[in-house]
Amino acid sequence: MLSLNNNKYHMTKIKILLIIILTVIVLNFLKLLFYFTSLNSLDELFNSDTEGHLLVVLYILTLVLFFIAHLVLSRGLWHIIKHNYFNERSIKDFHIAGVLLIAFGILTLIFRVYFILDMASITQEFESYSLIQAFENGYTIILGFALITIKSILKKGHLLQTENDLTI
């Protein structure tokens, strides 16, 4: 009986985490929507210089990666709630979300370092703390690796559970 209550307690935590992630998804979607509606026209985007065009595309790509990573992660959590901890779908979703978060972190880092170096070339000043600020989204890289590690643990648990179910 204790393990059943403990399982309900953990599933409640996972449900709360899922609600938080879904809230982040909605906020990220609103951010994308605001960004697209704040452009006067798409002509501004496509008539800008090549460098500006590339930066806008990179920024949009990072937001889309962040959005998709959270969608996939929430789907993985949903499968844990519905099918318990050790299921193949959650394992796959956690891996995909981890890779997407790592990609998001790296692209954001490239975007920020480029922007800082570009600003330094314009102003002829470079402050070292600016480079430290470029690593603000470094947590997403760490979170991506954490999700891949959790995926490995879930995969091992799934394998053990499958072997245990086959044992008579």
Side-chain angles (χ1 to χ4, degrees), residues 56-142:
V56 169
V57 170
L58 184 61
Y59 179 71
I60 292 171
L61 179 64
T62 59
L63 289 178
V64 169
L65 276 175
F66 191 70
F67 182 74
I68 292 171
H70 282 84
L71 276 176
V72 173
L73 179 59
S74 63
R75 186 175 64 187
L77 291 172
W78 180 254
H79 285 289
I80 285 177
I81 292 168
K82 289 296 178 188
H83 306 290
N84 216 341
Y85 296 104
F86 307 117
N87 65 77
E88 291 181 23
R89 190 65 198 173
S90 291
I91 293 167
K92 184 178 179 182
D93 288 343
F94 274 52
H95 180 77
I96 293 169
V99 169
L100 289 174
L101 284 174
I102 291 169
F104 168 78
I106 291 171
L107 283 174
T108 304
L109 179 65
I110 291 169
F111 180 76
R112 288 178 183 226
V113 167
Y114 175 80
F115 184 72
I116 288 169
L117 293 176
D118 189 48
M119 290 303 288
S121 70
I122 292 171
T123 62
Q124 301 299 322
E125 294 179 12
F126 180 76
E127 298 181 21
S128 59
Y129 76 90
S130 297
L131 195 56
I132 294 171
Q133 288 177 337
F135 292 94
E136 285 179 349
N137 282 351
Y139 73 91
T140 58
I141 297 171
I142 296 168

Side-chain angles (χ1 to χ4, degrees), residues 15-28:
K15 287 177 185 177
I16 291 170
L17 180 61
L18 180 61
I19 290 169
I20 291 169
I21 291 174
L22 289 173
T23 303
V24 168
I25 289 171
V26 169
L27 292 175
N28 195 31

Side-chain angles (χ1 to χ4, degrees), residues 1-13 85:
M1 184 72 177
L2 180 63
S3 65
L4 182 61
N5 288 335
N6 199 15
N7 193 26
K8 283 184 181 181
Y9 174 72
H10 291 296
M11 286 298 171
T12 302
K13 286 182 175 180
Y85 296 104

